[in-house]
Amino acid sequence: MDGEIMKQKYEPVIGLEVHVELNTKSKMFCSCKAEYFGKKPNTQTCPVCLGLPGALPVPNRTAIEWCIKIGMALNCDIPLESKFDRKNYFYPDLPKGYQISQYDQPFAMNGSIEIRNRQKAIRIRRVHMEEDTAKLVHEFGNQNAKIKDQKYTLIDFNRSGVPLVEIVTEPDFDNAQDVKEYLQKIQQIVRYLDVSEADMEKGMMRLEPNISLHVTRNTTHGKNNVSPVTSHLLPSYKVEVKNINSFKYVEKAINFEIDRQAKILDEGKTPVQETRGWDEKKQITVSQRSKEEAHDYRYFPEPDIPPFEWTDKKLLELRGQLPELPSKKLERFIKEYNLSSYDAEILTREIQTADYFEEAITVSKDRNVTPKQLANYIINRKPDLEKTLPVQLVQNIIAASKTATVDEKHLEKVVQDVIIENTKAVEDYKKGNEKVMMFLIGQVIRKLKEKVDVNIIKSEIERNLK
Ligand code: ADP
Ligand code: MG
Ligand code: ZN
């Protein structure tokens, strides 16, 4: 190649489909209870959510309003007209042969959300409303089972018809860590809105990443003259990964898939467009379905539900019901209470903590307790906020400051010294070796003149490592 070294480099291209189950009282199109977790199978069903012929769906107004609020919180446009469509496909979890979903007129579109401390924006393509399907439980028959030594599948219709919001991004991610942060943001926002518990482990929030690798050829001329050729075209294929049922596997599953595709591209081949499943036991992705391009859902407008028309007044009313959102609150806490971004981030992680903190500020006025002291106390001592009234908390702080157990300035100085003197240990800890923390705590205790609670020392070390 004319003395040039051709090296293939890959840039991951990732787009996400996230499903969030709403915690409305009733299901999306019938009056059955929506909460199904841990309930006896098939006890919360009716002709509508079983998909019996002739049953008529009646849309859940609250669910639709919540879907729109999610759209608003994700900076979407809310079109004044919207409708439901039938998405036709055959699968045993959907006996009526179609899912009521939204096709070309979703409730919300063209939004965005910022990650990496506002360094990057992820575009949100659409937010739409649909119904959940029944839950399939795959079993294997033991000696005493009716179906011996065979696989069989049970169906639980309690989940069928539960309101589901789907949030689809543009393929704007290029690494797994950002995906995780985005997911945490989505979870935080829907919890702030109080529309879903969004617990991944309980299937209330589900993630399907679409992953491909963009090939950039870096032509190296002799020394270090690198000219990456980046094209804005998307790769010709994408792989959808399903079954990521836990936060802790989000990065693992995506990184596994990136490596798998890179190896195929290294061999000069193109990965197959397909749906793969994350196998938690083996920690790999496995092929589930290919021929993805063959899917044709034959969407058409749902004839049993008239289209929706919103007025500006109605949308304004919904917007007025939104709480202050996490990013705004974080910014305000830093400005208004003079907190570090680290402290403000912890206090705004959950809206309950943030509200508690502000209540405590109100009752601490005229008592010489500063917001900073309150923040320190909540973050370092981690009191049980559900069992302590803000007034009590403030009294505890006043009592603690009278006995002056912790000289915070001194503690901080010692912690910083220990961090500087133990660079190797600190590095190990940052790489994930949690055991090193005990060592660091030990070093701090040795240097401290007073007795300080281990948890406080630990928090102080963590804070100084940020
Ligand atoms: P489909 O019609 O197969 O569902 P879409 O174009 O609607 O495909 O996209 C579904 C998701 O896949 C979106 O989140 C989108 O951002 C993402 N996506 C599209 N093309 C790619 C690609 N080449 N690589 C990774 N993700 C992609
Ligand atoms: Mg799709
Ligand atoms: Zn029902």
Side-chain angles (χ1 to χ4, degrees):
M1 275 181 244
D2 298 343
E4 286 178 0
I5 306 153
M6 294 290 281
K7 192 163 185 332
Q8 299 217 110
K9 281 203 66 184
Y10 309 121
E11 190 187 324
V13 178
I14 307 169
L16 303 184
E17 292 161 292
V18 173
H19 285 91
V20 176
E21 270 179 357
L22 300 184
N23 61 0
T24 48
K25 286 202 182 72
S26 55
K27 291 188 181 179
M28 191 59 223
F29 299 113
C30 61
S31 56
C32 293
K33 280 213 174 77
E35 203 204 332
Y36 65 87
F37 194 82
K39 296 279 157 62
K40 190 163 184 275
N42 297 307
T43 53
Q44 302 185 356
T45 63
C46 75
V48 173
C49 57
L50 285 171
L52 301 189
L56 282 177
V58 179
N60 181 333
R61 182 161 279 275
T62 305
I64 292 171
E65 291 183 355
W66 288 4
C67 177
I68 291 175
K69 283 185 182 176
I70 292 175
M72 288 173 167
L74 300 175
N75 307 302
C76 290
D77 298 329
I78 311 298
L80 289 177
E81 284 175 33
S82 218
K83 67 175 167 63
F84 281 110
D85 298 277
R86 290 188 179 180
K87 179 182 182 180
N88 299 283
Y89 67 94
F90 170 78
Y91 206 61
D93 63 5
L94 191 73
K96 63 182 189 297
Y98 60 86
Q99 179 188 35
I100 304 180
S101 180
Q102 297 193 285
Y103 183 51
D104 53 345
Q105 291 186 279
F107 285 128
M109 52 210 298
N110 301 329
S112 72
I113 181 169
E114 286 174 319
I115 57 165
R116 274 195 231 150
N117 217 353
R118 306 200 147 172
Q119 298 295 298
K120 183 169 171 119
I122 302 297
R123 289 170 300 161
I124 288 166
R125 185 184 289 178
R126 54 188 282 144
V127 178
H128 74 249
M129 181 90 247
E130 57 190 34
E131 53 177 340
D132 210 345
T133 58
K135 195 174 161 72
L136 298 182
V137 184
H138 304 289
E139 305 257 331
F140 189 84
N142 65 21
Q143 282 301 310
N144 306 318
K146 282 205 176 130
I147 306 174
K148 279 195 198 65
D149 303 329
Q150 281 183 51
K151 286 188 201 164
Y152 63 95
T153 298
L154 300 167
I155 309 185
D156 178 4
F157 284 95
N158 286 350
R159 196 182 72 179
S160 170
V162 167
L164 204 58
V165 168
E166 180 170 340
I167 304 165
V168 184
T169 75
E170 295 295 337
D172 286 348
F173 295 91
D174 60 14
N175 70 82
Q177 205 190 338
D178 283 357
V179 170
K180 189 169 178 188
E181 189 188 332
Y182 167 88
L183 263 191
Q184 279 161 342
K185 287 244 147 83
I186 295 287
Q187 185 180 56
Q188 185 187 33
I189 287 170
V190 299
R191 286 179 176 170
Y192 260 63
L193 296 174
D194 197 17
V195 299
S196 173
E197 283 157 58
D199 189 334
M200 267 193 102
E201 280 75 9
K202 288 186 182 162
M204 294 164 169
M205 182 164 91
R206 293 169 236 154
L207 159 78
E208 279 141 34
N210 290 268
I211 303 165
S212 63
L213 295 185
H214 183 79
V215 181
T216 54
R217 282 191 179 73
N218 280 357
T219 314
T220 315
H221 304 275
K223 289 174 203 152
N224 50 6
N225 178 13
V226 184
S227 57
V229 187
T230 350
S231 143
H232 293 289
L233 287 177
L234 289 175
S236 60
Y237 72 95
K238 66 178 155 50
V239 174
E240 182 169 342
V241 180
K242 289 188 182 282
N243 299 348
I244 306 174
N245 298 329
S246 166
F247 245 112
K248 68 176 179 222
Y249 295 131
V250 170
E251 286 175 275
K252 262 208 168 137
I254 293 172
N255 285 330
F256 175 88
E257 186 54 28
I258 290 171
D259 289 347
R260 189 189 69 85
Q261 292 180 18
K263 282 185 195 128
I264 295 171
L265 288 163
D266 279 343
E267 290 167 8
K269 300 183 208 149
T270 305
V272 185
Q273 169 137 338
E274 61 180 345
T275 301
R276 298 178 70 86
W278 170 245
D279 184 327
E280 210 172 282
K281 281 197 198 110
K282 296 188 186 142
Q283 303 271 297
I284 58 171
T285 64
V286 288
S287 182
Q288 287 186 332
R289 273 186 272 149
S290 49
K291 292 196 242 123
E292 192 68 356
E293 59 288 342
H295 75 194
D296 181 359
Y297 296 121
R298 304 230 167 195
Y299 281 98
F300 66 86
E302 166 59 61
D304 291 334
I305 306 174
F308 298 84
E309 270 189 50
W310 309 114
T311 58
D312 290 329
K313 184 164 168 267
K314 175 73 190 167
L315 296 182
L316 215 59
E317 180 193 315
L318 289 178
R319 208 175 278 283
Q321 293 168 9
L322 297 182
E324 182 181 39
L325 293 164
S327 54
K328 272 262 170 65
K329 207 184 274 294
L330 177 88
E331 212 177 297
R332 182 170 63 81
F333 274 25
I334 294 172
K335 274 210 197 106
E336 195 170 330
Y337 304 126
N338 217 347
L339 300 178
S340 67
S341 56
Y342 175 79
D343 288 352
E345 197 275 320
I346 294 182
L347 293 172
T348 56
R349 212 172 270 166
E350 291 176 13
I351 196 167
Q352 291 83 354
T353 314
D355 287 348
Y356 186 101
F357 173 67
E358 294 206 276
E359 269 178 57
I361 286 179
T362 311
V363 295
S364 68
K365 292 241 165 80
D366 313 320
R367 291 193 185 196
N368 259 338
V369 176
T370 64
K372 178 69 192 158
Q373 268 176 294
L374 275 171
N376 281 350
Y377 194 88
I378 293 174
I379 293 167
N380 292 340
R381 307 230 184 169
K382 303 183 181 71
D384 186 344
L385 301 185
E386 278 178 26
K387 290 193 185 133
T388 321
L389 289 172
V391 174
Q392 286 172 310
L393 187 93
V394 172
Q395 283 164 355
N396 293 348
I397 293 174
I398 293 168
S401 70
K402 275 187 188 133
T403 49
T405 44
V406 188
D407 178 346
E408 291 187 3
K409 281 244 164 64
H410 179 58
L411 175 63
E412 187 174 19
K413 170 90 175 53
V414 170
V415 163
Q416 284 168 355
D417 288 349
V418 166
I419 288 173
I420 291 165
E421 289 159 15
N422 295 280
T423 42
K424 171 80 175 62
V426 166
E427 248 172 59
D428 289 349
Y429 178 72
K430 284 187 173 164
K431 278 183 201 146
N433 187 350
E434 306 251 342
K435 282 185 203 146
V436 175
M437 179 52 81
M438 283 320 292
F439 166 77
L440 292 172
I441 291 172
Q443 295 303 104
V444 173
I445 290 174
R446 277 182 48 195
K447 281 178 183 268
L448 277 176
K449 293 181 197 87
E450 55 189 341
K451 244 195 156 159
V452 180
D453 187 89
V454 171
N455 283 325
I456 296 176
I457 299 178
K458 183 161 180 259
S459 303
E460 192 60 34
I461 295 175
E462 279 166 354
R463 180 212 295 275
N464 278 282
L465 287 179
K466 288 273 157 182

